[in-house]
Amino acid sequence: MRIAWRAPVSTQPPVQLERNLAQQTVTKEDFESLLMDSFVDNEPLEGAVVKGRVVAIEKDLAIIDVGLKTEGRIALKEFGQAGRDGTITVGSEVEVYVDRVENAMGEAVLSREKARREESWVKLEEMYNNNERVEGTIFNQVKGGFTVDLEGAIAFLPRSQVDIRPIRDIAPLMNVPQPFQILKMDKRRGNIVVSRRAILEESRAEQRSEIVQQLEEGQVVDGVVKNITDYGAFVDLGGIDGLLHVTDIAWRRVNHPSEVLTIGETIKVQIVRINHESHRISLGMKQLQADPWEGIEAKYPINAKFSGRVTNITDYGAFVELEPGIEGLIHVSEMSWTKKNVHPGKIVSTSQEVEVVVLEVDPDKRRISLGLKQTLQNPWEAFAEKNPVGAVIEGEVKNKTEFGLFIGLEGDVDGMVHLSDLDWQKSGEVALEDYNRGDMVSAKVLDVDVEKERISLGIKQLATGEVADTAGTEGGIRKGSVVTGTVTEVNEGGIEVRIADSEMTAFIRRADLSRDRNDQRPERFSKGEKVDARVTQYDRKTQRIQLSIKALEIAEEKEAVANYGSSASGASLGDILGAALKDRDDK
């Protein structure tokens, strides 16, 4: 069954009905307006700071009327000192923070501390924007730093921002009003970070600037050693520190500043350099003493001998102190005649007294080069004086190489026996197999080159029997003669040949194999091949001979030009040599 709804039909006349509806509308709008005005004028909003009046004090609570239908209660301790000394009385006006309009008990929830905090935030934000200092009190220690009361607002003071340098005891700074600098503010999170160090650095910078303006380079002042490091010492000049570098403490070598200075000691220093931008000051002590390098060339002439003390040893040499403030370097190459590639520490030791020779003096660079080996006689000169060419010596085989033997000799020097000087009959490589390291051998001195520090020895020269006076050439073996030989050995350095009709062997170096550089190749020759060469040196006493194919080719060319052509004949060099060869074949 469907039921139909119908609006009720008014029994009032139409004109009267419209008038009544209009009156009802006006009355409703006026009521809403009056109600909103009542809320605006009489109801404070939650979360706002308002003024209230103390209407009563009960024990440790103050009853505050802030214009609500109910009062709120605030503990007297929230009013701080004013609450304790009785200055908060009935009738006093105070600012409070409305936390809630009404709690479960029908009372307003008010807070004086939050009101103070809100007041402080407004004031602190303004000071933070103007980069102004704020005053606060350190009252508690927390992890990583301390808490600071900024007139109701709580701020965090990091431990690194307490002082310029780390401090162990914070007690003297606790509960003492002092200035701070706000580094960061975040009202939404309620975070404030402050710094005491920034205040101290600013004051210190102003003080340093004033002191620096009063100082001048070259000025001599008194200072107190404040700190010592490996590279120098920091000296307090009365509010500003200067660096005294280790190299400026004394003219002599100072390994560590603690050798000369102690913390707390008062010293006299000279201002060497001032950086007005960074306020850095370099100091010096040695500048107050006479420079020992003045007139150094006259005090230490070249080749003169002096005694000194080894102060430092490095990989490249040793430093020797000749007098306080004057050091010279003995380079590793000037330490020993015979010990090569040896660390200086194996020849001298620190603090050892040594005798040295002055090799070079450079006053501009403040350098003196010294020599240790020059105080001893050159062992090669001593050997040459005692063992002239032709003398027979005895020594131990120190080393065996592919080109000969090294023999240990008197004076800690070595002599070399070349392959070609081992045996008359055997080839050098075969004869070399007969010797081993440690063998004692006798040899004849063939040559001593003092400048190149070389001693040439020969073993085959000690063999008995005479060498044939003739070797396939008329007139015998002599310098400039031509001999014929048979190739017995070929190596990279040259070829070894046996001279015809004799037991004599000679080694022709690579550079002497041909006049043409392209033909100076030992591999051109083979064992058993006969070659002609010119004698460039022959010592009958030591029976040592040197041959050169190159010298022979040059001599033959000169002879051909002299006999078959001249500079004015117009004949080419090929024509001249061709005629010379034809004439030789005809003969």
Side-chain angles (χ1 to χ4, degrees), residues 293-350:
W293 285 88
E294 293 182 1
I296 194 68
E297 291 176 298
K299 293 166 62 177
Y300 296 96
I302 306 298
N303 295 325
K305 288 185 179 181
F306 295 92
S307 294
R309 180 177 61 87
V310 178
T311 58
N312 192 26
I313 297 176
T314 66
D315 293 337
Y316 53 85
F319 289 92
V320 176
E321 184 182 54
L322 301 176
E323 66 175 82
I326 300 295
E327 283 188 352
L329 172 66
I330 308 175
H331 193 267
V332 63
S333 61
E334 305 295 343
M335 303 198 80
S336 174
W337 289 107
T338 56
K339 295 178 181 178
K340 309 295 183 182
N341 301 322
V342 176
H343 192 275
K346 294 185 177 181
I347 300 176
V348 296
S349 59
T350 306

Side-chain angles (χ1 to χ4, degrees), residues 117-118 121 125 184-192:
R117 192 176 304 168
E118 286 294 320
W121 268 97
E125 283 181 335
K184 180 180 178 183
M185 287 190 73
D186 188 344
K187 187 173 184 180
R188 184 173 62 85
R189 297 184 178 180
N191 291 338
I192 304 177

Side-chain angles (χ1 to χ4, degrees), residues 85-100:
D85 60 14
T87 56
I88 298 297
T89 60
V90 176
S92 299
E93 285 193 354
V94 293
E95 289 187 343
V96 295
Y97 179 85
V98 181
D99 215 349
R100 289 176 60 187

Side-chain angles (χ1 to χ4, degrees), residues 427-496:
S427 65
E429 293 181 353
V430 174
L432 188 64
E433 298 298 325
D434 296 337
Y435 300 92
N436 296 301
R437 293 182 62 178
D439 292 347
M440 296 298 297
V441 297
S442 297
K444 182 177 288 188
V445 179
L446 304 181
D447 183 47
V448 179
D449 191 329
V450 176
E451 292 184 1
K452 296 182 178 180
E453 299 181 351
R454 294 177 183 174
I455 299 175
S456 298
L457 305 175
I459 294 178
K460 73 179 185 181
Q461 285 78 2
L462 296 177
T464 57
E466 296 183 357
V467 180
D469 289 337
T470 60
T473 57
E474 205 169 319
I477 298 176
R478 63 183 181 277
K479 185 175 181 180
S481 63
V482 178
V483 297
T484 300
T486 303
V487 178
T488 58
E489 293 291 339
V490 178
N491 55 51
E492 293 183 358
I495 62 174
E496 188 174 337

Side-chain angles (χ1 to χ4, degrees), residues 17 32 98 116 128 161 168 191 195-196 252 277 287 351 363 365 375 412 465 467 510 512:
L17 179 62
E32 290 179 353
V98 181
R116 291 177 62 242
Y128 174 64
Q161 297 296 323
R168 296 181 179 179
N191 291 338
S195 172
R196 179 175 177 269
R252 65 179 179 85
E277 294 181 359
Q287 287 78 1
S351 300
K365 296 182 178 180
T375 59
D412 203 20
V467 180
R510 186 187 188 100
D512 290 324

